[in-house]
Amino acid sequence: MDCGTEGDAPPGPVAGDGATDRIPLAVVVADRDGLVSHWSTGARRLFGAAEEEAVGRFVLDLLPVSGALPDDAFTLDGTYAAHDRLGPDLESSLDGRLNYPAAGRARLSVPERGRADVLWWAYPLVGQGDERLLVLAADAERLHPGGPDGGSGAAAYERIAPGFALHTDFPGADELARRLPGILPGMSVAESARIVAQVLELGYPVLEFSQSTRVPVTPDWGVARRTERPARHERAARAAAQGLPVPEESVAETLRDSVLPHIPPRRAGCDLATRRLPGTRAGGDWFDSVKLPGARTALVVGDVMGHGLDSAAMTVQLRTAVQTMAALDLPPAQLLRNLDGLAQRLGDDYLTTCVYAVYDPIASELRLANAGHVPPVLVRADGRSDLLDLPTGAPIGVGGVPFEEVRVPVAPGDRLVLCTDALVEVRGEDLGVGLAKLCESAAHPAASTDDACDTIVRALGTRGGRKDEVALLMARLNGIAPKDVAEWRLGFDPAEVGRARAAVREQLHDWDLARLADNAELMVGELVTNAVRHAHSRPIRLRLVRGDTLLCAVDDDDHTLPTLLSAGSGDESGRGLRVVSTLAREWGTSRTTAGKTVWFELTPGRR
């Protein structure tokens, strides 16, 4: 029975977990020598190896659990370096290093299946038995619509990641322990109980969907394929429908969670990851990422002081205001000044700390401003980590305090870490101690931004009996290489439209993107025509940026933003943006210091 075998019907879901169906987990145990001792039926299905082939083999030969064993066992590119380094010392290595569980996501080659997308959790095991590592794994593709099992009706999540629910009193522990010997034949009831107890102590495995919904793995070691609203939201809704009083804390959490951003894992030139650790009381911690013109990205983390419904409501208002102001492409210091003025108009009961940063992957530069917040950490590609020296400023809402902007040059591979103070602050301990620990854990080598976030959470997430929630945002700054950027300066002569169209077509052929040339050339012609018509004295700038999408931007010195109009077939004007809105994957306009930018994106698969 492996959640069970093919003939077993899985039991009902755990009360409140919102699961309507399950996907079996692979369950694997390795001994003190790092050799597989137990291999479930689910492991055979997921990894393509039968039990008789897997048992006795080194665990890293079969599973993508890099980071779950000591670092010196791996080369810089993440491949295993020397099996004999672990040998009989694996027990002490695990006991000494793996004080926390590890998790990750990996793509690997599976016999007869090709490439597989795997989510995994790894737990160090201690005690009298031979078991020293427990690994759980699931097929990520089956959690998406159209996966191998159809995935009918499943929500289209932007991000699915493995995580841990710390200090959880999980009601299904006994059932979970009872099932484990059936999943792993040969395991005794005592061994099973010991393993389950350690899983609960180290952190119950959960899935994080789009960074705002956390779903526990169920007692039959299965993963929910489809989720509903969190249970606390359902309880609050039922209470309101019955005319019963709804606890303010539930309302506050529901209000804040309803607008938590679904930050994509990648923006132009950077990879993103976030974590939000709930506290025992609802607060005003938040993060966001906003797409800006010119392939830039705005990153923000804020903390509304206080707790409860008013704090949650202020969080919603400020986050919405930041998104609106960021879309206007305001410089960081100006944005904080505007936000400060807005906060004072909303009321003087709540103050907010905030860091706002803009990353330009083409110029390889960060522009940052701080409003009384804990400083960000910049981890250099070579492993050095430092707190950024920003003028601290005063919290949003104080009023009359200037904010200053700092420009920081960065390089591909650097990482920016933004968090709220509850992650580093412990009562009775100097704040510098927590900040030093943040720098140390942020600098730990990691295969991805998600792995790096998990390392920080394991190192700092449970210090000092934390009661306040935590917001954590990390960006890996990959940059955009000069070879992926093309730029032209254009005059005001209508003949420049033809020159621009020809230059774009030629560049796309050079980039092996000729399939996009027809649409791109047509839209560039429309935008440059408008720019030639309305520009004043500065040259028009045309820029192409090649990445996951093709970005095209046209800048001129006219501050009037174009408007999408309804235009008939006989109209001589008004069709330009209609053409762009029809053909582009995404498009937009914004004011700049010198005038305005109009941009659009195409994806390589779109014609």
Side-chain angles (χ1 to χ4, degrees):
M1 178 177 63
D2 171 44
C3 180
T5 55
E6 276 75 352
D8 294 320
V14 181
D17 75 9
T20 60
D21 198 0
R22 287 183 199 80
I23 293 169
L25 284 182
V27 184
V28 179
V29 177
D31 62 20
R32 67 181 67 242
D33 295 318
L35 305 179
V36 172
S37 60
H38 295 83
W39 186 263
S40 72
T41 304
R44 173 181 59 78
R45 288 196 293 262
L46 181 57
F47 297 113
E51 180 181 10
E52 57 270 21
E53 299 174 295
V55 171
R57 291 183 60 184
F58 194 73
V59 65
L60 292 184
D61 289 341
L62 299 168
L63 305 183
V65 289
S66 60
L69 293 178
D71 290 336
D72 60 3
F74 297 90
T75 62
L76 291 177
D77 65 359
T79 58
Y80 183 65
H83 294 190
D84 57 1
R85 290 189 187 177
L86 298 178
D89 295 329
L90 179 62
E91 177 180 6
S92 60
S93 297
L94 289 175
D95 291 348
R97 180 187 181 278
L98 271 183
N99 297 319
Y100 298 96
R105 184 169 182 170
R107 292 193 63 83
L108 66 157
S109 298
V110 174
E112 300 181 2
R113 278 187 56 191
R115 301 289 287 175
D117 188 4
V118 175
L119 300 163
W120 59 267
W121 300 258
Y123 291 85
L125 302 175
V126 298
Q128 298 301 315
D130 289 334
E131 297 80 15
R132 282 297 175 267
L133 185 70
L134 170 70
V135 179
L136 310 176
D139 187 345
E141 294 174 359
R142 297 177 67 180
L143 292 161
H144 286 285
D149 285 350
S152 176
Y157 298 106
E158 294 183 4
R159 172 182 176 272
I160 302 175
F164 301 96
L166 301 177
H167 307 299
T168 302
D169 182 17
F170 185 70
D174 292 341
E175 175 73 2
L176 187 149
R178 184 182 69 80
R179 286 181 172 271
L180 190 55
I183 294 172
L184 299 174
M187 177 169 287
S188 69
V189 174
E191 291 170 334
S192 173
R194 177 174 62 86
I195 289 176
V196 170
Q198 292 184 59
V199 167
L200 297 181
E201 179 181 354
L202 293 170
Y204 192 76
V206 297
L207 279 177
E208 297 176 350
F209 292 91
S210 296
Q211 302 157 34
S212 59
T213 302
R214 291 164 63 88
V215 178
V217 174
T218 51
D220 58 329
W221 300 94
V223 173
R225 176 181 293 151
R226 187 166 67 247
T227 64
E228 299 171 357
R229 292 177 301 173
R232 68 168 182 273
H233 295 182
E234 293 174 0
R235 290 194 294 269
R238 285 198 300 268
Q242 297 169 9
L244 301 176
V246 180
E248 180 179 304
E249 199 77 2
S250 293
V251 177
E253 291 182 358
T254 301
L255 175 63
R256 187 199 55 236
D257 289 354
S258 67
V259 295
L260 274 178
H262 292 174
I263 293 180
R266 179 172 298 145
R267 294 238 190 241
C270 64
D271 298 328
L272 303 175
T274 63
R275 295 292 183 271
R276 186 175 69 85
L277 308 182
T280 57
R281 49 190 180 180
D285 297 49
W286 53 283
F287 49 70
D288 210 344
S289 164
V290 183
K291 185 177 184 176
L292 300 179
R296 293 169 302 139
T297 299
L299 305 167
V300 58
V301 166
D303 183 1
V304 176
M305 299 180 187
H307 305 87
L309 184 56
D310 289 342
S311 175
M314 180 64 77
T315 302
V316 173
Q317 294 178 84
L318 292 180
R319 177 180 166 264
T320 302
V322 168
Q323 283 195 324
T324 302
M325 295 179 192
L328 297 174
D329 205 9
L330 297 179
Q334 181 64 54
L335 184 143
L336 293 186
R337 282 194 291 272
N338 289 8
L339 197 63
D340 181 52
L342 174 64
Q344 292 178 75
R345 293 192 295 274
L346 292 174
D348 58 2
D349 294 333
Y350 288 88
L351 301 177
T352 302
T353 65
C354 179
V355 170
Y356 182 80
V358 173
Y359 173 53
D360 187 334
I362 298 175
S364 296
E365 181 184 69
L366 284 169
R367 300 171 62 188
L368 310 98
N370 189 4
H373 203 78
V374 293
V377 173
L378 184 61
V379 182
R380 297 295 185 178
D382 62 7
R384 293 177 294 119
S385 64
D386 295 294
L387 295 172
L388 287 181
D389 186 14
L390 304 181
T392 303
I396 300 296
V398 170
V401 179
F403 299 101
E404 300 179 47
E405 178 183 306
V406 172
R407 293 174 180 254
V408 179
V410 293
D414 290 354
R415 282 180 279 144
L416 181 69
V417 182
L418 304 167
C419 69
T420 50
D421 58 3
L423 185 64
V424 295
E425 200 168 44
V426 172
R427 185 179 297 275
E429 179 182 271
D430 185 84
L431 178 61
V433 175
L435 291 174
K437 290 183 178 294
L438 175 61
C439 288
E440 179 184 358
S441 59
H444 194 278
S448 68
T449 49
D450 277 315
D451 291 342
C453 278
D454 289 337
T455 298
I456 293 174
V457 169
R458 290 195 296 269
L460 296 167
T462 60
R463 296 171 65 243
R466 176 182 54 79
K467 294 182 180 179
D468 291 336
E469 62 187 6
V470 168
L472 172 65
L473 170 62
M474 180 182 293
R476 178 183 170 88
L477 312 177
N478 301 318
I480 295 177
K483 64 182 177 62
D484 293 322
V485 181
E487 189 172 303
W488 300 268
R489 291 289 193 271
L490 306 173
F492 308 128
D493 188 331
E496 294 285 65
V497 175
R499 177 189 165 213
R501 292 168 59 115
V504 166
R505 177 171 290 276
E506 182 179 355
Q507 185 62 61
L508 294 183
H509 276 271
D510 289 346
W511 281 345
D512 196 26
L513 293 175
R515 59 191 175 279
L516 302 180
D518 289 344
N519 285 350
E521 181 183 346
L522 177 60
M523 288 187 281
V524 164
E526 297 291 346
L527 297 189
V528 173
T529 296
N530 288 339
V532 168
R533 182 176 300 156
H534 297 290
H536 301 294
S537 58
R538 292 174 178 265
I540 299 164
R541 184 177 73 168
L542 168 62
R543 173 185 278 181
L544 293 181
V545 181
R546 177 177 61 171
D548 293 336
T549 64
L550 175 70
L551 168 67
C552 174
V554 176
D555 298 350
D556 63 59
D557 62 355
D558 179 55
H559 288 272
T560 303
L561 297 181
T563 304
L564 184 62
L565 302 174
S566 296
S569 58
D571 293 335
E572 295 184 2
S573 63
R575 292 195 301 271
L577 284 187
R578 181 65 61 186
V579 169
V580 172
S581 68
T582 301
L583 298 178
R585 170 185 179 271
E586 192 173 347
W587 71 278
T589 65
S590 65
R591 286 188 175 90
T592 64
T593 303
K596 70 173 180 294
T597 295
V598 185
W599 58 271
F600 66 81
E601 287 184 357
L602 290 171
T603 55
R606 183 166 185 148
R607 294 182 180 273

